[in-house]
Every structure is written in structure tokens, then in C-alpha cells.
Amino acid sequence: MSTILLAHGYAMAPDQHWYPWLGEELSTAGHTVVVPPLPDAAAPDPDAWHKVLLAAADAAPADTVLVGHSLGGVSLLRLLQEHDTERHGAYRGLVLVASMAGEVGYDQLAGFFHPAFDWARIRAAAGTVRALHAADDPVTGAATPQHIMDFATRLGAEVIVTPDGGHFPTVGESRTELRHALELVRSLAEGRSHASGAERGDTK
């Protein structure tokens, strides 16, 4: 069984949205799920988030799947960039949910994107990468195709794009389940291929 480390999004918490549901589904399947509360989530500091995630990522990388939602995914990219792959080996995989490959116009979050990402180091450390994004994500907006292409080309990510879903969820909304994300995480944790929700007609 695998360890799942989930980094929540900006202005969110471990007990909100689809995080508890995902944790319960994966725990029932025998996996260990860790969702650390990231400090000052509404006014985040990249170094503070990095320290918490670094402390939480103490399981064997080869048995650990990293899951990042929104800004949590950006923090995991930085974690992977600083990971000593030669010494500790790569992670089992990375799932990015509504995450960003670069700045999205929020000045208070600019520090999460500087210095520039070393994509080669991240790719070497991440293992198998999968990404989930909605075409109508208001955070990435008109640049959504570029963020998706960056994950696909720079990280070799397999990407699922849904026609709607916003930011999974968008600020002011809630979402208690996210089955696309569950399928992506389970397929990595259990070492199997997956059939996308779009192929199954699953829109959740």
C-alpha cells in the first residue's frame, strides 16, 4: 500500500471540500493518507508551506504519491525540485489538480513561482505525473491551455481536461467529491493504468 500526501489549496483546509472524501476512499482501500494543514492558508508564505510539506514527506518516496490542489500543487513542484533523487530515488507519482505552471496574476502568490522552476529536476523526481484541469478554470483563465501544455511537455504528464468544474472548486463554492482525482491517485498508488472519467462518461 502507498502513502498519499495531499497539499491543499490557497485559503483552504484539510477538512474542506473533497479532501476528507478522498482521504476516506483511499484509507478504506488500505493506503495511508496525510493532509497537513498548511499555515496561514489565506496569506501563504512559500517557505512556510515548503517546511510543512518537507516534514510531512518522510515516507519512502517510491511508495508515496504526491497530490496537489491549486497552490498546493505549486508547492509540491518546489518540493520535487529540491528532492535529492540520486540519493533517495523518485516518488511513485504526482497528481496535479487545477494547479498552475506559472504566475496567474495574484501578486500575493508571486513568491511561489520564483525562482523559475527547474522542470528537468522536477520531472526526474516526480515519477509518473498526471494532471486534472477544467477548461473553465477561472484562476488560469485564458492561459489554461498553456498551463496544461507546460505540464504535458515539461513533465510528461497525462492530462485530463473536463469541460467544466472551475477550480475544483472555485472560491465561494464547495465540492465534496472529485472522482477524477480519486481515479488518478488510485491508479498511481496501485500501479495500474486508468480509464479516464471522460471515457467512462463520469463528470464528477
Side-chain angles (χ1 to χ4, degrees), residues 53-86:
L53 291 173
L54 185 62
D58 59 356
D63 295 325
T64 300
V65 177
L66 303 173
V67 183
H69 178 213
S70 186
L71 194 63
V74 177
S75 292
L76 290 179
L77 293 177
R78 195 66 67 189
L79 177 76
L80 288 163
Q81 179 171 309
E82 298 186 11
H83 179 67
D84 189 340
T85 305
E86 290 188 4

Side-chain angles (χ1 to χ4, degrees), residues 2-204:
S2 299
T3 295
I4 316 298
L5 172 59
L6 192 159
H8 65 73
Y10 167 73
M12 298 181 185
D15 61 351
Q16 295 178 334
H17 307 304
W18 47 271
Y19 309 140
W21 171 82
L22 185 77
E24 182 176 352
E25 291 286 326
L26 292 167
S27 296
T28 299
H31 303 292
T32 299
V33 181
V34 181
V35 191
L38 299 172
D40 299 318
D45 175 78
D47 291 333
W49 277 33
H50 179 75
K51 289 177 182 177
V52 171
L53 291 173
L54 185 62
D58 59 356
D63 295 325
T64 300
V65 177
L66 303 173
V67 183
H69 178 213
S70 186
L71 194 63
V74 177
S75 292
L76 290 179
L77 293 177
R78 195 66 67 189
L79 177 76
L80 288 163
Q81 179 171 309
E82 298 186 11
H83 179 67
D84 189 340
T85 305
E86 290 188 4
R87 182 177 180 184
H88 300 294
Y91 282 85
R92 178 178 289 265
L94 169 69
V95 176
L96 297 168
V97 178
S99 198
M100 303 85 87
E103 290 193 59
V104 286
Y106 295 84
D107 291 342
Q108 67 270 36
L109 305 183
F112 283 83
F113 301 95
H114 296 283
F117 292 121
D118 185 332
W119 293 105
R121 282 185 60 88
I122 295 169
R123 184 169 185 171
T128 302
V129 182
R130 291 177 178 154
L132 172 63
H133 216 102
D136 65 345
D137 189 329
V139 174
T140 49
T144 292
Q146 185 59 57
H147 290 271
I148 292 170
M149 285 301 297
D150 279 344
F151 291 142
T153 59
R154 295 178 184 274
L155 298 181
E158 177 183 345
V159 183
I160 290 179
V161 181
T162 62
D164 52 33
H167 202 54
F168 296 128
T170 302
V171 173
E173 300 176 1
S174 184
R175 188 173 192 132
T176 58
E177 296 183 7
L178 189 54
R179 294 190 179 277
H180 283 298
L182 175 63
E183 176 60 27
L184 291 177
V185 176
R186 288 188 65 177
S187 65
L188 291 179
E190 297 166 9
R192 56 180 175 80
S193 61
H194 80 284
S196 75
E199 293 167 348
R200 297 191 309 267
D202 181 0
T203 59
K204 289 187 179 182

